[in-house]
Amino acid sequence: MARNLYLLCFLILFISLNLRSVLSWRIQNFTDDQCPPQPHPLGMCKARVAAYGYPCEEYQVTTEDGYILSLKRIPHGLSNADNSTEDRTPVLLFHGLMVDGFCWVLSTPKQSLGFILADAGFDVWIANCRGTKSSRKHTTLTPEDPAFWDFTWDELAAYDLPAVLQFVYNQTGGKKVHYVGHSLGTLIILAAFSEHKLIDIVRSAVLLCPIAYLHRMRSRLILLAARIFLAETIHMLGFHEFNPVGRVAQEVLGEVCTDPEVDCYDLFGAVAGPDCCLNTSTTCIFLQHGPQSTSVKNMIHMSQLVRKAGVRRYDYGNEKENMKHYNQPEPPLYNLSSIPPHVPLFLTHGGQDFLGDVPDTRHLLRTLVREHDSDDIEVLYMPDYAHGDFVMGYNAPQLIYKPIVEFFKRH
């Protein structure tokens, strides 16, 4: 009985969260499997940025808790190469869950936010959080050590984000940094701001499909995974790294896709919302690069946000452990209403987004707008956009990125 329960848990978890396999299934229907995975051994700079003639610099940043993170830089665009970097305002781009910084240069220079900002005169920096392919080093640990994966987005907010922001600030001569986050990249900056951290080095923040409150999300698959404690089950079985493109995950999905009750054709839409504006070529590049690992513990933390209202630190599951870590029986809340009202914010969200769904996002907006200076907060609602459209949509340059550039130039 217990063995069958564990197998069932594996099936449902991999169905609900294996985005790469889902997208591969969709692509096969259109391209006859013309998108086999093609990892880029040369890395993002040489394989993607330099291929279009843009300069690209690579740095390593060590966090306070010992993780060695990859940080990329596009110091200028093609049309403004003669201008000194001293005249450019830095922008840090921070990716979402189970992807890395490659998402900002997925398409052509006219379509990708990383290139567009560089051509608009900004000094562009691209973060890669712990656990992703280019950030799997540590001063004392290896990815084979369970302790390497002992983190959640709490640690991304407390260590990864401050480390890369401070590095950019120092490297650019003390210039305050514009910030762009997508999905999980929005949650960690909101968490830091709520504790009045990083305010002195961040010039403004753009939040693409912000996630914070997840209690009313629309994805039935994610809701099911959270409510039956699937991530906790995986952790209990001794797994610490969550790799969404692992062999077992693909085999399991291949089996369950024979079930007529499982809509593998549009499972990605069932998880993240029905996208309006993705084209095959960009999605193919995403597939070839491949989604990235995170920790099972991080997936547990995300599930906790779904199950319980509010934005809290990781819940260790019992009062004794919570007291040990927080000196209180319940994990503390991140009080988003305490974010300083003078920090310029630009938020954009989609009506078809199942993860950053409209009711939860409006709750976030009410929390922020209630206290925020009206001149320092802007909201752009895209009724047809789902979660992936904000970073891969073919019309995002006109609808999303142009307003972002204008917002940065005003601030």
Side-chain angles (χ1 to χ4, degrees):
M1 172 79 78
R3 183 173 179 272
N4 290 337
L5 176 61
Y6 292 155
L7 289 174
L8 175 63
C9 289
F10 266 113
L11 289 175
I12 301 174
L13 179 67
F14 287 131
I15 292 169
S16 62
L17 297 177
N18 192 322
L19 302 185
R20 182 185 179 279
S21 296
V22 169
L23 284 169
S24 293
W25 190 275
R26 294 181 65 186
I27 288 296
Q28 286 174 14
N29 287 275
F30 292 103
T31 64
D32 297 320
D33 202 20
Q34 294 302 305
C35 292
Q38 294 181 2
H40 297 292
L42 298 177
M44 187 191 84
C45 273
K46 292 181 180 178
R48 195 71 188 160
V49 180
Y52 286 110
Y54 286 75
C56 193
E57 302 170 4
E58 303 188 56
Y59 299 87
Q60 290 188 330
V61 180
T62 303
T63 67
E64 188 178 324
D65 59 345
Y67 289 84
I68 301 170
L69 309 180
S70 172
L71 182 64
K72 316 295 186 186
R73 183 188 194 183
I74 307 176
H76 59 77
L78 298 183
S79 61
N80 47 36
D82 295 334
N83 297 339
S84 170
T85 55
E86 295 180 1
D87 301 327
R88 301 174 186 277
T89 303
V91 180
L92 176 68
L93 308 181
F94 212 111
H95 58 84
L97 181 65
M98 291 192 287
V99 295
D100 67 358
F102 198 92
C103 69
W104 303 111
V105 292
L106 273 176
S107 193
T108 67
K110 297 296 184 182
Q111 293 287 124
S112 303
L113 183 58
F115 295 126
I116 288 171
L117 287 171
D119 283 329
F122 293 97
D123 180 5
V124 179
W125 297 75
I126 300 176
N128 297 275
C129 77
R130 62 185 66 189
T132 57
K133 288 179 182 177
S134 60
S135 297
R136 295 173 67 90
K137 295 181 181 179
H138 189 278
T139 54
T140 61
L141 301 171
T142 73
E144 285 69 44
D145 298 316
F148 182 92
W149 301 101
D150 186 21
F151 67 84
T152 81
W153 59 263
D154 281 336
E155 282 69 42
L156 303 189
Y159 299 113
D160 289 24
L161 180 60
V164 294
L165 269 171
Q166 191 65 55
F167 185 89
V168 172
Y169 180 81
N170 293 341
Q171 285 289 119
T172 56
K175 290 182 181 179
K176 296 184 76 170
V177 184
H178 289 303
Y179 180 85
V180 180
H182 175 247
S183 191
L184 190 67
T186 69
L187 177 58
I188 59 175
I189 195 75
L190 288 171
F193 282 169
S194 73
E195 297 180 337
H196 292 207
K197 296 176 180 177
L198 308 178
I199 302 296
D200 56 337
I201 61 175
V202 174
R203 189 175 185 128
S204 72
V206 168
L207 311 179
L208 303 178
C209 38
I211 60 169
Y213 305 103
L214 298 178
H215 191 56
R216 289 171 287 188
M217 71 149 53
R218 294 163 59 191
S219 172
R220 293 182 180 180
L221 291 176
I222 299 300
L223 285 170
L224 175 62
R227 287 172 179 168
I228 62 175
F229 295 84
L230 285 178
E232 286 84 350
T233 301
I234 299 302
H235 196 261
M236 183 179 66
L237 292 173
F239 293 88
H240 301 279
E241 176 182 0
F242 183 81
N243 179 3
V245 296
R247 180 179 59 82
V248 174
Q250 300 228 16
E251 291 178 357
V252 168
L253 189 63
E255 289 295 322
V256 299
C257 281
T258 62
D259 188 328
E261 297 298 317
V262 179
D263 182 12
C264 288
Y265 174 77
D266 198 21
L267 191 55
F268 181 60
V271 172
D275 54 77
C276 69
C277 307
L278 303 189
N279 61 38
T280 299
S281 60
T282 301
T283 309
C284 189
I285 294 169
F286 171 76
L287 290 173
Q288 290 171 336
H289 178 66
Q292 307 288 307
S293 291
T294 187
S295 69
V296 174
K297 186 177 179 182
N298 194 28
M299 302 306 294
I300 294 174
H301 197 180
M302 299 302 296
S303 297
Q304 291 172 356
L305 294 182
V306 175
R307 287 194 297 267
K308 193 170 183 178
V311 184
R312 295 179 180 272
R313 291 183 182 274
Y314 181 79
D315 189 344
Y316 285 87
N318 61 74
E319 291 187 2
K320 182 179 179 181
E321 284 298 309
N322 285 333
M323 288 294 295
K324 177 181 175 181
H325 288 87
Y326 308 124
N327 200 32
Q328 62 184 63
E330 290 277 327
L333 281 165
Y334 289 100
N335 183 9
L336 302 188
S337 65
S338 70
I339 293 176
H342 62 276
V343 180
L345 298 176
F346 180 100
L347 299 90
T348 178
H349 65 114
Q352 302 302 315
D353 191 343
F354 282 7
L355 300 177
D357 65 288
V358 172
D360 281 329
T361 303
R362 286 180 176 171
H363 179 53
L364 171 64
L365 290 172
R366 285 193 296 270
T367 302
L368 297 175
V369 171
R370 186 182 303 124
E371 304 292 338
H372 225 77
D373 295 340
S374 59
D375 291 338
D376 287 324
I377 187 166
E378 299 182 28
V379 179
L380 177 60
Y381 175 60
M382 302 296 298
D384 296 329
Y385 263 38
H387 209 67
D389 292 307
F390 288 88
V391 290
M392 294 189 287
Y394 61 80
N395 53 2
Q398 295 76 34
L399 300 180
I400 307 295
Y401 304 158
K402 182 179 178 181
I404 288 174
V405 170
E406 293 170 349
F407 172 78
F408 282 158
K409 289 184 176 180
R410 288 194 297 272
H411 296 280

